[in-house]
């Protein structure tokens, strides 16, 4: 066997030997199960509404059977599903708070703006920015707490406000979207 | 320096044993989990280099000579190690983050890439992280046993079959391949080289969500010098993969069934290789140049 042949064969074989194949080196990302807080408003006298809900944040990791390193929020959406009896031109002024911190504040926003699910971070919402950094920071802190804790974790979501007309018949849905990260290897 | 043939056999055996077991087996559960997180558009870009590599691998290693006898027994059992080289081009793709993030394409990791791109959000602490790469390698390898039988009127058939049962989190995987080659030089007397033409088909099923197919046809030429045969070929090929799964992410698409069909990008290749015949032992290695570069090496026993 000639030296040239040995070299040629080695060139073809050695790359396979040196493949250095590493699998799962970087953390896997999962989309957490969306968490929804739903508020039903049926106000026949007056224009104010005020309601609170407790949501179970544990739901985020439902269905993920892997070790979790961290959970991060990447979107929060709002939908106002108006039902029969509400004037279509009704506008809302109010807020959504999470554990007492304001997450959303709207001022004279038509309910039709949120007829379909819409991100609260959408910059084209009538009247401009509706989210508040304080509430976002509270959400982020809660998710960090959820990752570190072993027991259940809940959050209180409070929706309140005034409408421009009555009666009011609508459902407010606030939805939290997260990404769940597995630990880094090594 | 002279390396004995036995050293090659030992080297090849270790290599093939390693290729046949470790990397693809460990990759599977992570890979399936990663795929399920994608909507169809981003899954396509994330998986494209993998599909191209799988297709290019399975369309390789079917031959190591163009010489096919007219009639008589030819039987050879071979273990073929094949690897597609993974370069920088296979490690990134352009993806668009979900709303409300800016709808501009960003460069992020494919399944062979590194850490996925992080797109900052409109509020402090808010960000969207694209999926990270899951297989870090400079070559994507596979090893397959192959049985070649013939010769009938200058025709040989090659068969590949590998059933791997479900082991732990590694899903059941089945590979089946078949190829037929026919001597062209039997029709051209006095031609100084051997010529043949062949057609090949492969099917791979990985777990419940991935089905891949490969198909190729081409012509081969070879010239023998005592124990050594130099061979080459030109080949047209296609490959495709169907990822079929239930999307479990956010939004209206949650829990909807997604079926993504992705074609491999390798359509044409030129092959050059060397085959060494030592009685019943046959060693070969080749390089295949196309959209991707594939190297292949085989060790076989037979007549």
């Amino acid at each position: 066997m000639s030296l040239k042949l040995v070299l040629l064969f080695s060139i073809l074989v050695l790359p396979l030997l040196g493949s250095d194949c590493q699998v799962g080196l970087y953390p896997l990302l999962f989309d957490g199960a969306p968490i929804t807080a739903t508020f039903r408003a049926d106000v026949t006298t007056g224009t104010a509404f005020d309601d609170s809900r407790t949501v179970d944040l544990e739901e985020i990791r439902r269905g993920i059977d892997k070790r979790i390193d961290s959970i991060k929020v990447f979107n929060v959406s709002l939908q106002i599903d108006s039902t029969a009896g509400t004037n279509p031109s009704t506008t809302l002024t109010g807020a959504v708070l999470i554990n007492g911190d304001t997450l959303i504040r709207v001022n004279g926003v038509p309910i039709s703006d949120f007829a379909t699910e819409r991100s609260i971070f959408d910059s084209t919402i009538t009247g401009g920015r509706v989210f508040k950094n304080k509430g976002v920071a509270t959400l982020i802190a809660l998710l960090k707490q959820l990752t570190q804790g072993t027991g259940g974790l809940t959050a209180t979501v409070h929706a309140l406000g005034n409408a421009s007309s009555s009666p009011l018949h609508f459902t407010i849905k606030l939805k939290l979207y997260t990404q769940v990260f597995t630990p880094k290897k090594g | 320096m002279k390396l004995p043939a036995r050293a090659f056999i030992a080297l090849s055996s270790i290599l093939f044993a390693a290729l046949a077991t470790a990397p693809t087996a460990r990759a599977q559960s992570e890979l399936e989990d990663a795929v399920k997180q994608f909507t169809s558009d981003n899954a396509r870009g994330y998986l494209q280099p993998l599909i191209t590599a799988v297709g290019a691998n399975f369309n390789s290693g079917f031959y190591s000579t163009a010489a096919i006898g007219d009639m008589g027994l030819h039987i050879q059992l071979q273990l073929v190690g094949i690897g597609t080289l993974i370069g920088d081009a296979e490690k990134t793709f352009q993806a668009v983050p979900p709303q409300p993030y800016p709808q501009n394409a960003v460069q992020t990791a494919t399944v062979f890439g590194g850490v996925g791109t992080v797109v900052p959000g409109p509020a402090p602490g808010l960000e969207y992280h694209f999926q990270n790469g899951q297989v870090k390698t400079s070559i994507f390898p596979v090893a397959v046993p192959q049985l070649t039988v013939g010769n009938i009127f200058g025709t040989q058939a090659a068969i590949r079959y590998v059933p791997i049962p479900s082991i732990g989190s590694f899903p059941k995987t089945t590979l089946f391949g078949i190829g037929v080659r026919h001597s062209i030089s039997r029709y051209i007397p006095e031609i100084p080289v051997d010529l043949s033409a062949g057609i090949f088909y492969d099917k791979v099923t990985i777990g419940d969500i991935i089905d891949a197919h490969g198909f190729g046809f081409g012509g081969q030429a070879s010239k023998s010098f005592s124990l050594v045969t130099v061979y080459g070929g030109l080949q047209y090929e296609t490959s495709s993969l169907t990822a079929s799964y239930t999307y479990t992410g956010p939004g209206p698409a949650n829990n909807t069934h997604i079926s993504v069909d992705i074609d491999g990008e390798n359509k044409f290749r030129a092959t050059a290789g060397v085959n060494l015949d030592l009685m019943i032992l046959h060693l070969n290695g080749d390089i295949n140049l196309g959209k991707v570069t594939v190297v292949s090496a085989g060790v076989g026993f037979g007549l």
Side-chain angles (χ1 to χ4, degrees), chain B residues 247-270:
Chain B
Y247 173 64
T248 53
N254 185 35
N255 278 328
T256 56
H257 185 76
I258 289 180
S259 184
V260 188
D261 292 307
I262 309 168
D263 291 331
E265 292 178 322
N266 210 56
K267 300 292 182 195
F268 184 80
R269 71 171 67 196

Side-chain angles (χ1 to χ4, degrees), chain B residues 271-294:
Chain B
T271 302
V274 175
N275 181 27
L276 181 65
D277 286 311
L278 301 167
M279 304 285 281
I280 61 165
L281 173 67
H282 310 275
L283 301 170
N284 77 284
D286 57 49
I287 186 163
N288 302 264
L289 303 175
K291 169 81 177 176
V292 291
T293 300
V294 183

